[in-house]
Amino acid sequence: MRNKRQPTWKLNRYITKQVHTRTVKACQAIRSWGFISLFLAGVSLSIVMSACSSANVDNTGNRIATSERDINLTFVSYSVTKAAYEQIIPQFVEKWKKEHNQNLKFTESYDGSGSQTLNVIDGLEADVIHLSLALDVDKLVQTGFIQSGWEKEAPNNAIVTQSVGAIATREGNPKNIKTWTDLTRPGVSVLTANPKTSGGARWNFLSLWGYVTKTGQDEKQALDFTSKVYKNVLVLPKTAHNASELFLTNKLNYFGNN
């Protein structure tokens, strides 16, 4: 019998290469942006692509006898990647058609990395999944949705991007925010996503924690510092994308005082 996982893994390796290329270009563009509000941008370890189910398979495990030239994939990713994939997927589909003479159709789903992990465990059928945390992927391994060793199927252990923690402020930086410690000051409003639902938000949390522990202080001091920062967080959006929209579109009134 033909290996039903093979087409998906082949696509995984191909998509990983394309995502890496596009992400590097996006990061170069981001460096030229001017941020206009206070935002805690997290360290992101972006992990792609784990096959969770085989494409075009019925409930008996047999491949559906549709056109051999058509491949339908359910693609699940975390929220902030949506804008990138809106550009990547059409080009990928076109290139795959040209090189392999197969028609690809993607059904896309975007939400926080943690939420997407739970969605898959709860029944969301995914052929390809892109998450921001190794912990989230490990949950899918532990629950049997993907096989251990999946990361060896793509270059660089399937890690597509790495980024650094950054603080974005309003134009002119009226609160004079210069270091992580400044985020604990009274009157400073911090916006970050909810670590319970967003993978990027967990990296935000770890950025704060690491700021303390990497400078020689202990975990008790790290907990105290991180708690002080989160006391200045007035809202915890579900996803990093939601948080980005809030500070970029200036929807919350208290931003006006930052």
Side-chain angles (χ1 to χ4, degrees):
M1 178 181 289
R2 181 180 175 183
N3 184 356
K4 290 177 288 187
R5 292 180 62 87
Q6 184 178 358
T8 304
W9 286 122
K10 188 175 182 181
L11 288 170
N12 288 352
R13 289 192 291 270
Y14 192 93
I15 295 174
T16 300
K17 181 179 179 181
Q18 297 298 312
V19 171
H20 182 270
T21 300
R22 299 291 176 181
T23 303
V24 168
K25 291 182 179 180
C27 288
Q28 291 172 343
I30 288 171
R31 293 191 185 100
S32 65
W33 291 357
F35 292 98
I36 59 172
S37 54
L38 179 62
F39 181 68
L40 183 62
V43 177
S44 174
L45 186 64
S46 187
I47 304 172
V48 72
M49 295 277 174
S50 306
C52 293
S53 63
S54 54
N56 301 325
V57 176
D58 63 19
N59 56 15
T60 66
N62 296 318
R63 190 172 184 85
I64 298 174
T66 56
S67 171
E68 286 295 323
R69 296 301 177 192
D70 294 338
I71 298 177
N72 298 318
L73 295 175
T74 299
F75 176 67
V76 175
S77 187
Y78 61 104
S79 60
V80 294
T81 66
K82 183 178 180 180
Y85 280 119
E86 285 177 346
Q87 299 180 52
I88 293 171
I89 288 178
Q91 296 182 51
F92 174 67
V93 169
E94 181 180 354
K95 189 173 179 64
W96 188 269
K97 171 69 173 179
K98 181 178 179 180
E99 295 182 358
H100 302 276
N101 195 27
Q102 290 179 314
N103 299 313
L104 296 183
K105 180 179 179 181
F106 285 86
T107 300
E108 302 168 51
S109 171
Y110 299 95
D111 205 342
S113 184
S115 296
Q116 291 291 56
T117 302
L118 294 177
N119 289 339
V120 171
I121 293 173
D122 289 340
L124 176 61
E125 295 185 1
D127 295 299
V128 181
I129 186 165
H130 182 186
L131 301 173
S132 63
L133 292 172
L135 266 178
D136 289 335
V137 181
D138 288 344
K139 290 178 183 178
L140 298 181
V141 174
Q142 294 164 5
T143 48
F145 285 88
I146 58 177
Q147 298 177 356
S148 60
W150 61 271
E151 65 273 22
K152 303 301 180 185
E153 297 289 339
N156 197 34
N157 286 326
I159 295 174
V160 181
T161 63
Q162 296 186 42
S163 63
V164 298
I167 301 171
T169 68
R170 282 191 163 279
E171 186 175 4
N173 191 14
K175 292 287 185 172
N176 196 31
I177 305 295
K178 294 182 178 180
T179 71
W180 297 104
T181 302
D182 292 331
L183 300 181
T184 66
R185 296 200 322 248
V188 172
S189 299
V190 179
L191 177 60
T192 182
N194 192 333
K196 293 182 179 180
T197 54
S198 167
R202 296 181 199 177
W203 287 114
N204 291 351
F205 179 91
L206 292 174
S207 296
L208 296 168
W209 191 277
Y211 170 72
V212 176
T213 58
K214 294 297 183 181
T215 55
Q217 301 180 72
D218 59 28
E219 292 191 354
K220 182 178 179 180
Q221 291 168 306
L223 177 61
D224 179 65
F225 174 76
T226 305
S227 298
K228 288 180 179 178
V229 174
Y230 272 84
K231 285 181 180 179
N232 284 341
V233 177
L234 303 185
V235 64
L236 288 169
K238 182 179 180 181
T239 71
H241 179 71
N242 295 150
S244 299
E245 285 185 329
L246 284 175
F247 83 82
L248 287 173
T249 58
N250 208 17
K251 289 181 179 179
L252 297 183
N253 292 331
Y254 63 80
F255 282 163
N257 298 318
N258 285 340

